[in-house]
Amino acid sequence: DTAVSQTPKYLVTQMGNDKSIKCEQNLGHDTMYWYKQDSKKFLKIMFSYNNKELIINETVPNRFSPKSPDKAHLNLHINSLELGDSAVYFCASSQVKGGSNQPQHFGDGTRLSIL
Amino acid sequence: AQKITQTQPGMFVQEKEAVTLDCTYDTSDPSYGLFWYKQPSSGEMIFLIYQGSYDQQNATEGRYSLNFQKARKSANLVISASQLGDSAMYFCAMRERGGGADGLTFGKGTHLIIQP
């Protein structure tokens, strides 16, 4: 009965490869997010996706692309992986329509390591 | 300029003592929300408490309370009667624009260690 689940938990791959991280939420939320946590533990929003509206953080390289097949899923696809992409990636969801007091529920994170 | 400032990179506290984790924020939006999250060494992000900019009373959730001082733009987290299991990273975060889908802005976190 996991609320926000993301797979895989660990991802080790070579520079230049393309990879995807999957995220699913069973909370019925209307908005999903992707965050990046760097080696210093700093969390930064990458994308939010609400009713087919994508809001992109302008600092995110266009090698990163979110893909949402339906309201419960927001996958993250990364092309041409670089060393600097090594980080923990968190998926989250919230019910924005319910009001600004709705917390975001996070998945357990995907630790991406680029060799 | 940082939107969320947590000035304590690390703290050591004796078990059973109360802990205050500092958080100041910067926004010109009259409608915003402030959140605290806990991240234990296992890595997951756990929501602790929320304070809305229009809330008249300070938020409380069990042993957690939020000392909200709007004029000072501070939202400190208070943990009463600390326990060993409280050892973790703690993040203060803000959502602006009254609940828009723009995500949370996080502070750099405070690493809290509870000593027996």
Side-chain angles (χ1 to χ4, degrees):
Chain A
D1 59 345
T2 305
V4 181
S5 60
Q6 50 183 112
T7 55
K9 191 170 174 66
Y10 300 96
L11 186 52
V12 181
T13 190
Q14 303 271 6
M15 208 164 47
N17 284 349
D18 303 339
K19 289 292 178 187
S20 292
I21 306 172
K22 295 185 176 181
C23 179
E24 175 182 4
Q25 55 98 1
N26 62 6
L27 297 167
H29 288 165
D30 59 12
T31 305
M32 296 183 72
Y33 310 83
W34 277 104
Y35 289 86
K36 179 180 179 180
Q37 187 174 41
D38 64 23
S39 57
K40 294 184 179 178
K41 300 285 190 181
F42 184 57
L43 276 147
K44 194 167 184 181
I45 182 75
M46 298 177 69
F47 305 100
S48 64
Y49 197 86
N50 178 330
N51 274 341
K52 302 189 189 304
E53 182 191 6
L54 177 65
I55 300 175
I56 304 169
N57 184 321
E58 63 274 9
T59 65
V60 175
N62 58 15
R63 299 182 294 103
F64 290 79
S65 55
K67 297 187 191 305
S68 179
D70 56 57
K71 206 171 100 167
H73 296 83
L74 184 66
N75 304 325
L76 181 65
H77 190 75
I78 316 169
N79 288 329
S80 303
L81 281 157
E82 301 178 358
L83 289 174
D85 298 333
S86 295
V88 180
Y89 293 84
F90 284 96
C91 177
S93 72
S94 72
Q95 183 63 17
V96 171
K97 197 174 177 182
S100 63
N101 65 337
Q102 302 302 310
Q104 292 185 13
H105 297 262
F106 283 75
D108 288 343
T110 295
R111 184 175 293 278
L112 174 63
S113 299
I114 310 301
L115 303 177
Chain B
Q2 286 185 59
K3 291 229 170 191
I4 298 287
T5 302
Q6 295 181 250
T7 57
Q8 306 149 310
M11 284 185 74
F12 288 87
V13 172
Q14 288 295 118
E15 192 180 6
K16 299 181 185 173
E17 288 184 353
V19 181
T20 297
L21 303 180
D22 295 341
C23 173
T24 58
Y25 59 91
D26 182 25
T27 181
S28 56
D29 192 336
S31 177
Y32 54 89
L34 297 158
F35 300 79
W36 278 91
Y37 282 85
K38 173 184 178 181
Q39 187 177 38
S41 57
S42 49
E44 70 270 29
M45 294 287 290
I46 302 166
F47 165 69
L48 296 178
I49 196 166
Y50 165 83
Q51 181 82 45
S53 57
Y54 294 120
D55 292 345
Q56 295 297 314
Q57 303 213 344
N58 286 344
T60 60
E61 287 285 349
R63 293 187 299 113
Y64 304 109
S65 60
L66 205 150
N67 184 359
F68 182 46
Q69 298 189 40
K70 195 170 181 178
R72 292 186 176 186
K73 292 189 175 178
S74 76
N76 298 340
L77 177 71
V78 180
I79 307 174
S80 63
S82 59
Q83 302 171 355
L84 295 178
D86 294 332
S87 295
M89 283 290 290
Y90 288 81
F91 293 96
C92 179
M94 178 171 63
R95 176 159 63 206
E96 298 170 275
R97 303 187 203 180
D102 292 337
L104 297 175
T105 300
F106 281 86
K108 292 185 177 180
T110 295
H111 189 190
L112 175 65
I113 296 174
I114 308 297
Q115 297 175 312

